[in-house]
Amino acid sequence: MKDTFFRRNGLSIVVLAMMLAAWTAQAITGHAAHNQELSEHGEAHIGWIAYLASGDFWSATFENWESEFLQMGVYVLLTVWLRQKGSAESRPMDESEEENSPTPEHLQPKAWRHGGVVRWLYANSLSIAFLLLFAGSFAGHLLGSWRKSIGEAIEHHQPVETLGQYALDPSFWFESFQNWQSEFLAVFSLVVLSIFLRQKDSPQSKPVDAPNSKTGS
C-alpha cells in the first residue's frame, strides 16, 4: 500500500475531524438552546458570535475537556503502578515479560540522551501534559461557569458572586463531578471488558485467540 500523508496520520486526522464536527454541532445547537431559553424569559436573542464568546458556551466546552484530560492523566499514572490480571490495558503481571530491548543511542530522542532534569521531564511528559491540560481546562471551566452565573444573577436581580465565592459553589463542583464519575466509569469498563472481549486488529485488544488470563497486549 502506498505510503501517503493520510496513511501515516489517518487516525489523528479522522479523530480531530470528528471532534471539530461535534464541537461545531455543539455550538449550533447550544446557540439555539440558549436563544430558546432567552425567549422563555422574554429576552432578545443573541447572535452566534456573541454566543461563542459567552460563558455558557465556554463553560460547557471546558467542563467536558476537563474531565477527559483528568481521565487520561490519571489513567496514564495509575497504569505505571497498578495491574489488572487479564486486561489488555494493563502492564504484564510479571515485569520480566515486558519488552526492555534498548534503543540504539543514535535513534534515542535528544531529550532522553540529555540526561538529568530534561530526561526526567521527557520520561514523564505524557502524564505531565495531560495534567497541565486538565488544569487549564479546569480554569477555563471555572471562568466560563462564573461568567455564566453572573449573567443569570443579573437576570434574576440577585447578588453577583466573586470568582472566589463561585469556586466554592456546589453547582460548580456538581458540573465537574458528574463528568468525572462518568470518565472513571468508562476507564473501568475498558480495563475490565478487555479481559473477556476482543476487537480484531485493534491495539486496545488482546489477540483474538489469547486466553482471558493473558495480561497486556
Side-chain angles (χ1 to χ4, degrees):
M1 185 177 292
K2 187 177 180 181
D3 184 25
T4 63
F5 178 81
F6 182 81
R7 177 172 170 74
R8 293 192 302 271
N9 302 279
L11 184 59
S12 58
I13 291 171
V14 170
V15 172
L16 179 61
M18 292 172 66
M19 176 268 172
L20 292 174
W23 196 19
T24 301
Q26 173 199 329
I28 294 171
T29 55
H31 175 233
H34 186 71
N35 279 336
Q36 185 179 52
E37 185 177 344
L38 289 175
S39 293
E40 292 171 355
H41 290 87
E43 299 182 24
H45 287 191
I46 64 171
W48 196 54
I49 299 301
Y51 174 71
L52 293 182
S54 70
D56 188 86
F57 175 71
W58 288 107
S59 171
T61 295
F62 282 120
E63 178 184 337
N64 285 282
W65 290 5
E66 162 198 316
S67 60
E68 297 295 340
F69 291 132
L70 175 65
Q71 175 210 60
M72 297 306 298
V74 169
Y75 186 45
V76 168
L77 285 173
L78 290 179
T79 55
V80 173
W81 301 291
L82 304 180
R83 307 285 196 277
Q84 176 58 55
K85 182 173 174 57
S87 175
E89 295 298 309
S90 170
R91 292 169 62 185
M93 300 300 293
D94 186 346
E95 294 185 12
S96 65
E97 297 178 11
E98 296 184 294
E99 296 183 8
N100 291 309
S101 53
T103 301
E105 186 173 350
H106 71 283
L107 295 177
Q108 294 174 358
K110 185 176 180 180
W112 178 256
R113 298 198 308 269
H114 191 281
V117 175
V118 174
R119 172 177 286 195
W120 183 89
L121 288 172
Y122 176 76
N124 297 278
S125 56
L126 183 59
S127 59
I128 291 171
F130 276 126
L131 294 178
L132 287 176
L133 287 167
F134 162 71
S137 298
F138 182 86
H141 173 206
L142 175 60
L143 289 171
S145 292
W146 177 52
R147 287 181 56 200
K148 179 181 176 181
S149 76
I150 290 174
E152 292 174 346
I154 293 173
E155 178 185 332
H156 294 95
H157 307 289
Q158 296 175 342
V160 173
E161 292 183 304
T162 65
L163 180 59
Q165 290 172 325
Y166 186 75
L168 301 176
D169 194 308
S171 62
F172 168 70
W173 288 101
F174 170 72
E175 291 175 354
S176 290
F177 285 128
Q178 67 175 336
N179 285 287
W180 295 5
Q181 58 84 16
S182 66
E183 297 301 334
F184 294 141
L185 176 61
V187 170
F188 170 80
S189 300
L190 181 60
V191 168
V192 174
L193 291 178
S194 69
I195 298 174
F196 310 102
L197 306 180
R198 310 286 190 272
Q199 178 56 57
K200 189 176 184 300
D201 296 330
S202 173
Q204 300 303 121
S205 168
K206 294 182 292 189
V208 293
D209 60 349
N212 290 340
S213 59
K214 176 179 171 58
T215 307
S217 56

